[in-house]
Amino acid sequence: MARNLQLTPLVFSLLFLTTLIKTSHAGSIATYWGLNVSEGNLSTTCGTGIYAYVNLAFLNVFGNGQAPEINLNGHCNPASNGCTFLSEDIKFCQKFGVKVMLSIGGGVGKYFLVSPNDAENVATYLWNNFLGGNSSSRPFGDAILDGINFDILHGSTQYWQDLAKNLKNHSNVYLSASPQCPFPDNILGTALNTNLFDYLWVQFYNNPQCQYDFSNSNTTNLISSWKQWSSSLKVGKLFLGIPAAPQAAVSGYVPSQVLNAEILPLFRKSPNYGGVMLWNRYYDELTRFFATILESV
């Protein structure tokens, strides 16, 4: 059910905190919400003032005529129309200046595109049910999300560029992507070459050849990969995607002291540097990882 979200003095103080954090040396912070019910609700996530972008994860079944499905891991059940209360949370986030995106794909699910026409149909569904279109069955009620995040980890390597083009035919739709750090991404490479994406939160983890080497305290592969992505990106902002805790990924965790002293000062010099993507909200809440970055400002 909907909650009444009041702009109390605490909320106004959080607005000030939001401004402080967004001007920190870490840049803007993106994260994923919807992966663990223990991460707290969406309005609380945005109310921390930490995040400039929140990806709702995931729409993990779509394409080839399938009925689309959303999995928010216990927060609510879209299949029974049980997630419409998120409309107020989404609007609350947007009032703070937080962009709320729907993340499609993920590590578990059944999604793929089989033709340009299939991509157009999926784009139409996304527009009508989550963005500025109209539908009688909008899973998040009347809230209008800011855009779509492509977190495509398996399935077809084709037609993602068609999906991006169809979505960008509509005004005021932001697109982001979460490619793997090996360059170019073997699934989203063609789509990224369209230069239609506003943000790239590259996953510099679970890929030893292009991530921080924790066991040897070595930044060489990570820095080399960042430079390759940065030099290839013609438009949009590039984000450093890292786990918010050692247990959040198989590999690629970067200790905050290394991030603060060796990585962020260098990456911030890139003209297309956007900030950091923390995987994910649950682990950031568990470890207060971003707080350790902020403390060094």
Side-chain angles (χ1 to χ4, degrees), residues 71-195:
N71 184 1
L72 294 179
N73 289 284
H75 282 285
C76 57
N77 183 7
S80 61
N81 206 32
C83 294
T84 55
F85 73 87
L86 285 174
S87 175
E88 295 305 314
D89 289 49
I90 292 165
K91 294 173 186 177
F92 178 81
C93 293
Q94 292 168 333
K95 188 174 292 186
F96 270 77
V98 178
K99 288 184 172 60
V100 184
M101 320 275 284
L102 175 68
S103 189
I104 63 173
V108 178
K110 186 179 180 182
Y111 55 85
F112 50 94
L113 300 173
V114 297
S115 68
N117 185 63
D118 190 24
E120 183 178 2
N121 290 338
V122 171
T124 298
Y125 168 79
L126 293 172
W127 171 254
N128 286 334
N129 286 275
F130 301 99
L131 301 169
N134 294 290
S135 169
S136 61
S137 58
R138 292 175 67 93
F140 303 145
D142 63 354
I144 299 174
L145 298 182
D146 294 286
I148 303 296
N149 167 246
F150 288 47
D151 194 288
I152 309 303
L153 302 179
H154 58 77
S156 171
T157 62
Q158 294 182 294
Y159 312 117
W160 300 110
Q161 70 275 16
D162 298 293
L163 180 58
K165 290 174 183 176
N166 278 286
L167 288 168
K168 272 296 189 179
N169 283 338
H170 300 286
S171 60
N172 301 319
V173 174
Y174 290 96
L175 295 184
S176 66
S178 304
Q180 301 289 299
C181 58
F183 184 89
D185 185 272
N186 65 348
I187 295 179
L188 288 175
T190 301
L192 298 181
N193 286 337
T194 63
N195 297 320

Side-chain angles (χ1 to χ4, degrees), residues 3 5 7 10-19 21-22 29-34 39-56 75 86-101 145-146 281 284-285 290:
R3 282 163 284 172
L5 301 172
L7 286 179
L10 174 60
V11 171
F12 282 113
S13 68
L14 286 172
L15 282 169
F16 174 78
L17 178 61
T18 301
T19 303
I21 292 176
K22 286 181 179 177
I29 306 299
T31 196
Y32 284 78
W33 179 91
E39 68 199 336
N41 62 42
L42 180 59
S43 60
T44 300
T45 296
C46 294
T48 62
I50 293 174
Y51 311 107
Y53 310 91
V54 175
N55 298 297
L56 306 184
H75 282 285
L86 285 174
S87 175
E88 295 305 314
D89 289 49
I90 292 165
K91 294 173 186 177
F92 178 81
C93 293
Q94 292 168 333
K95 188 174 292 186
F96 270 77
V98 178
K99 288 184 172 60
V100 184
M101 320 275 284
L145 298 182
D146 294 286
R281 165 61 182 166
D284 191 31
E285 169 71 6
F290 182 72

Side-chain angles (χ1 to χ4, degrees), residues 6 30 36-37 44 56 62 78 98 119 141-142 151-152 163 182 215 219 235-236 238 243 250 273 278 283 286 297:
Q6 300 291 330
N36 192 308
V37 72
T44 300
L56 306 184
F62 62 88
V98 178
D142 63 354
D151 194 288
I152 309 303
L163 180 58
S215 60
T219 62
V235 298
L238 182 64
V250 175
Y273 175 77
L278 294 177
Y283 287 107
L286 191 68
V297 178

Side-chain angles (χ1 to χ4, degrees), residues 158-289:
Q158 294 182 294
Y159 312 117
W160 300 110
Q161 70 275 16
D162 298 293
L163 180 58
K165 290 174 183 176
N166 278 286
L167 288 168
K168 272 296 189 179
N169 283 338
H170 300 286
S171 60
N172 301 319
V173 174
Y174 290 96
L175 295 184
S176 66
S178 304
Q180 301 289 299
C181 58
F183 184 89
D185 185 272
N186 65 348
I187 295 179
L188 288 175
T190 301
L192 298 181
N193 286 337
T194 63
N195 297 320
L196 294 174
F197 289 83
D198 303 284
Y199 316 107
L200 292 189
W201 13 88
V202 180
Q203 299 181 36
F204 292 98
Y205 52 91
N206 295 339
N207 290 283
Q209 68 269 41
C210 50
Q211 67 183 31
Y212 176 69
D213 182 354
F214 184 85
S215 60
N216 295 303
S217 303
N218 192 312
T219 62
T220 300
N221 289 348
L222 173 58
I223 292 173
S224 176
S225 181
W226 173 271
K227 289 179 177 179
Q228 187 172 30
W229 278 99
S230 180
S231 63
S232 71
L233 189 62
K234 296 181 175 61
V235 298
K237 292 295 183 180
L238 182 64
F239 287 68
L240 170 67
I242 53 175
Q247 63 269 39
V250 175
S251 58
Y253 176 73
V254 183
S256 59
Q257 63 270 25
V258 176
L259 191 65
N260 291 328
E262 301 180 45
I263 295 173
L264 289 182
L266 177 63
F267 287 9
R268 285 181 64 236
K269 296 177 182 179
S270 302
N272 47 17
Y273 175 77
V276 177
M277 183 276 281
L278 294 177
W279 175 263
N280 52 51
R281 165 61 182 166
Y282 169 71
Y283 287 107
D284 191 31
E285 169 71 6
L286 191 68
T287 64
R288 294 183 56 79
F289 182 80

